[in-house]
Amino acid sequence: MALELMSSAPTDFDFVIGDWVVRHRRLKERLANCNEWVEFDGEMSTQKILGGFGNLEDNVLRLNDEVFRAIALRSYDQNTKKWSIWWLDGRLPSQIDVPVVGEFIDGVGTFFANDTFEEIPIIVRFIWRQIDQNLLQWDQAFSADAGNTWETNWTMEFRRQR
């Protein structure tokens, strides 16, 4: 049963609502000057929650011979006008990632978090773009030098399921 949405809910992430086929590209090694990409497929289904002030993204990822699940949880803060995004990998069910926080400007969503990768302090950046109503792009980058340089290490292309 879908619950009623609030008329004041933000519309920034409306473009992700629905069912998608996903093409992933991820660097084989991160922050290691690696140029070798691993490609794999997946699916994503997203629905609004919190009266429209959030959404929940359910994912199936098919990496090599492994199939695993993950979710992204997004919520909007009316006071700051910013979104927070958390990632939970089903293979690590008791560990939710530090949220990236950001906003949409001219249709592009940019989100940041301070985190660590293999004990190295990093900044994580997510960028969301809608190419058209049936095609989306997302990428993740890490910076180990306070944002002076960025390594894009994971990209996703989403095609709407018919």
Side-chain angles (χ1 to χ4, degrees), residues 7-55:
S7 61
S8 59
T11 59
D12 298 316
F13 266 113
D14 282 5
F15 67 90
V16 303
I17 305 304
D19 300 322
W20 303 84
V21 174
V22 185
R23 184 66 183 158
H24 297 264
R25 289 182 70 237
R26 192 172 73 181
L27 280 181
K28 188 172 183 177
E29 295 180 56
R30 298 176 189 175
L31 299 179
N33 294 319
C34 178
N35 293 314
E36 185 179 348
W37 291 88
V38 176
E39 296 189 18
F40 56 101
D41 294 317
E43 297 171 50
M44 184 262 281
S45 181
T46 304
Q47 64 182 4
K48 290 187 178 191
I49 59 171
L50 300 173
F53 283 85
N55 59 66

Side-chain angles (χ1 to χ4, degrees), residues 31 113-124 142-147:
L31 299 179
N114 292 315
D115 204 350
T116 59
F117 177 75
E118 296 181 353
E119 300 182 19
I120 300 168
I122 61 168
I123 302 172
V124 179
F142 289 172
S143 176
D145 61 7

Side-chain angles (χ1 to χ4, degrees), residues 10-161:
T11 59
D12 298 316
F13 266 113
D14 282 5
F15 67 90
V16 303
I17 305 304
D19 300 322
W20 303 84
V21 174
V22 185
R23 184 66 183 158
H24 297 264
R25 289 182 70 237
R26 192 172 73 181
L27 280 181
K28 188 172 183 177
E29 295 180 56
R30 298 176 189 175
L31 299 179
N33 294 319
C34 178
N35 293 314
E36 185 179 348
W37 291 88
V38 176
E39 296 189 18
F40 56 101
D41 294 317
E43 297 171 50
M44 184 262 281
S45 181
T46 304
Q47 64 182 4
K48 290 187 178 191
I49 59 171
L50 300 173
F53 283 85
N55 59 66
L56 183 64
E57 172 188 301
D58 193 12
N59 292 275
V60 175
L61 297 95
R62 295 179 185 90
L63 178 59
N64 301 322
D65 294 331
E66 182 182 13
V67 177
F68 64 97
R69 302 295 292 259
I71 64 166
L73 173 64
R74 301 183 189 95
S75 67
Y76 184 76
D77 184 326
Q78 294 181 73
N79 295 320
T80 65
K81 308 293 189 221
K82 295 194 184 286
W83 287 89
S84 295
I85 307 171
W86 293 265
W87 180 257
L88 175 62
D89 184 324
R91 297 169 298 179
L92 305 166
S94 62
Q95 179 181 325
I96 194 164
D97 285 354
V98 172
V100 292
V101 177
E103 63 189 330
F104 283 83
I105 297 175
D106 297 328
V108 177
T110 307
F111 308 86
F112 297 95
N114 292 315
D115 204 350
T116 59
F117 177 75
E118 296 181 353
E119 300 182 19
I120 300 168
I122 61 168
I123 302 172
V124 179
R125 181 185 71 200
F126 287 6
I127 297 178
W128 272 102
R129 293 179 192 86
Q130 179 180 20
I131 306 307
D132 63 40
Q133 70 183 76
N134 296 309
L135 181 63
L136 315 176
Q137 290 180 337
W138 171 89
D139 65 67
Q140 171 183 273
F142 289 172
S143 176
D145 61 7
N148 291 314
T149 61
W150 293 92
E151 174 193 81
T152 299
N153 56 50
W154 194 345
T155 66
M156 293 185 220
E157 182 179 273
F158 301 80
R159 294 195 180 275
R160 189 176 298 278
Q161 289 186 1

